[in-house]
Amino acid sequence: MKEKDLINKWLNNAQLTHTESEAFKNLNAYDSYVRISDTAKNFKAPEYDIESNLEDLKNTLIDHKSTAASKHYITILMRVAAIFVIGIGTYFALFYTTETTVDSLASQKISVELPDHTVVQLNALSSISYQEKDWENNRKIKLEGEAYFKVAKGKKFDVQTSSGIVSVLGTQFNVKHRDHYFEVICYEGLVSVTYDKNIVKLPAGKTFKILKNVISKGETNIIQPDWIENKSMFSSTPYSYILKEFERQYDVTIIANNIDQNKLFTGNFVHSDIQTAIQSITIPMRLKYKINDNNITLYKE
């Protein structure tokens, strides 16, 4: 039997005789045909006109007679297999991803319970993502923004940020990760903070902060984050960070032209009354303000 007829018969899943089967196995491209065929059988792609493409493939195979054409057959088969791979990859990426992401909006605080009953409270404009369906094997949380964790006893996991990793085991702590600002406060138990290949252990009442690459450690006697009680507190913090936090809590835009935002601010503002809050951050800085819808303009006295 001619090579093209042998291949054609195999492609049509016709029963090969012993002689034909041996002849087919001796083809130069036999291993490639079988490998691609086996791979394709393992995939179930989204809707795809396989019959039409196989017909095109068979017509192309029949039109070629030389040994050099065998290489072309392989190329075409590889293209068909590639379509299967791309199709199934896209299908699973869209419908079978296991990552869960939770986002809070400006002026919004939300609470999330992890599969192990750990409670995570997100401050305004914050986000966490984790593998909910594979939590027992992949106990990692990615954090952008600020979150307060009440970890179930005996449950260990890592909170990952681009500035550092916080490892915990049955404790309560707060992690803040904003622009060039990374802060961890431990309220109960013990946390381990890994940053730039260094490890710091924080027991209850201790704080760790990196502000513009400057590291500082401190203490606190409060029992939970101030923002849980709808208040933002600051100690020797650049004014630009206070304005950004204000924007997050009230969903406004602050225009602060000709204002030195590198000055340090110590104080607080509430999240429940915008007039009281804006006065709390402008009077100490000897600034005036004007509110126009969702825009607040600051200017010097």
Side-chain angles (χ1 to χ4, degrees):
M1 181 180 289
K2 294 182 179 180
E3 180 178 322
K4 65 178 181 181
D5 295 328
L6 186 61
I7 296 174
N8 189 37
K9 187 175 182 179
W10 178 77
L11 286 172
N12 282 291
N13 294 318
Q15 184 67 38
L16 300 179
T17 66
H18 177 73
T19 301
E20 291 170 343
S21 179
E22 290 299 316
F24 182 74
K25 291 179 182 180
N26 290 326
L27 292 178
N28 292 333
Y30 169 76
D31 291 339
S32 297
Y33 292 145
V34 174
R35 190 160 51 247
I36 294 171
S37 176
D38 290 343
T39 301
K41 290 177 183 177
N42 292 327
F43 291 96
K44 183 180 180 181
E47 291 186 18
Y48 179 74
D49 192 356
I50 299 174
E51 303 233 345
S52 174
N53 281 272
L54 283 177
E55 187 62 31
D56 291 342
L57 174 61
K58 287 188 288 182
N59 291 335
T60 302
L61 291 172
I62 293 172
D63 289 339
H64 291 73
K65 300 179 180 180
S66 65
T67 303
S70 296
K71 297 181 180 179
H72 190 55
Y73 304 159
I74 298 173
T75 300
I76 297 173
L77 282 170
M78 289 297 289
R79 288 175 180 171
V80 173
I83 293 172
F84 277 106
V85 174
I86 293 171
I88 198 66
T90 302
Y91 180 78
F92 278 98
L94 289 175
F95 299 103
Y96 287 91
T97 179
T98 59
E99 185 169 84
T100 298
T101 299
V102 182
D103 301 298
S104 61
L105 303 176
S107 74
Q108 180 189 45
K109 301 178 181 69
I110 59 177
S111 181
V112 182
E113 184 172 309
L114 300 181
D116 62 7
H117 304 300
T118 288
V119 176
V120 183
Q121 292 176 266
L122 293 180
N123 201 350
L125 279 181
S126 299
S127 173
I128 60 170
S129 59
Y130 58 98
Q131 300 291 333
E132 182 176 10
K133 295 181 180 178
D134 192 35
W135 177 250
E136 288 303 316
N137 300 314
N138 191 352
R139 303 173 67 83
K140 297 177 182 178
I141 294 178
K142 298 176 184 177
L143 169 67
E144 285 293 337
E146 185 171 11
Y148 175 47
F149 296 81
K150 291 184 177 180
V151 184
K153 297 296 183 182
K155 301 298 183 180
K156 185 180 185 302
F157 61 85
D158 293 336
V159 179
Q160 299 180 329
T161 74
S162 59
S163 297
I165 299 174
V166 182
S167 300
V168 299
L169 177 60
T171 186
Q172 296 183 29
F173 64 100
N174 190 80
V175 180
K176 185 173 185 177
H177 180 238
R178 303 288 191 188
D179 296 335
H180 306 292
Y181 189 106
F182 177 62
E183 181 184 61
V184 181
I185 302 176
C186 182
Y187 297 102
E188 179 184 288
L190 178 71
V191 298
S192 174
V193 182
T194 302
Y195 71 98
D196 195 24
K197 298 182 180 180
N198 297 305
I199 299 177
V200 174
K201 301 290 186 180
L202 291 183
K206 298 296 184 180
T207 68
F208 175 85
K209 181 169 67 176
I210 303 177
L211 175 58
K212 294 183 177 180
N213 297 320
V214 177
I215 298 172
S216 61
K217 301 176 184 178
E219 298 182 354
T220 182
N221 55 10
I222 60 176
I223 60 175
Q224 66 178 7
D226 49 80
W227 62 268
I228 296 294
E229 300 178 346
N230 289 319
K231 181 185 294 185
S232 291
M233 302 183 66
F234 308 91
S235 177
S236 299
T237 304
Y239 198 54
S240 60
Y241 286 85
I242 282 73
L243 298 185
K244 287 294 184 182
E245 187 63 29
F246 195 99
E247 290 178 327
R248 281 189 285 268
Q249 297 300 335
Y250 283 99
D251 194 14
V252 297
T253 298
I254 295 180
I255 302 169
N257 297 330
N258 301 319
I259 302 297
D260 184 1
Q261 297 185 39
N262 291 317
K263 283 188 176 182
L264 300 182
F265 176 88
T266 297
N268 65 80
F269 68 82
V270 297
H271 302 170
S272 54
D273 186 328
I274 192 170
Q275 289 287 352
T276 300
I278 195 65
Q279 290 174 10
S280 297
I281 67 170
T282 54
I283 292 176
M285 303 297 284
R286 296 183 179 181
L287 298 173
K288 291 187 177 182
Y289 66 91
K290 183 181 295 184
I291 301 178
N292 183 15
D293 294 329
N294 288 330
N295 294 321
I296 300 177
T297 302
L298 304 185
Y299 55 94
K300 297 179 181 179
E301 293 183 348

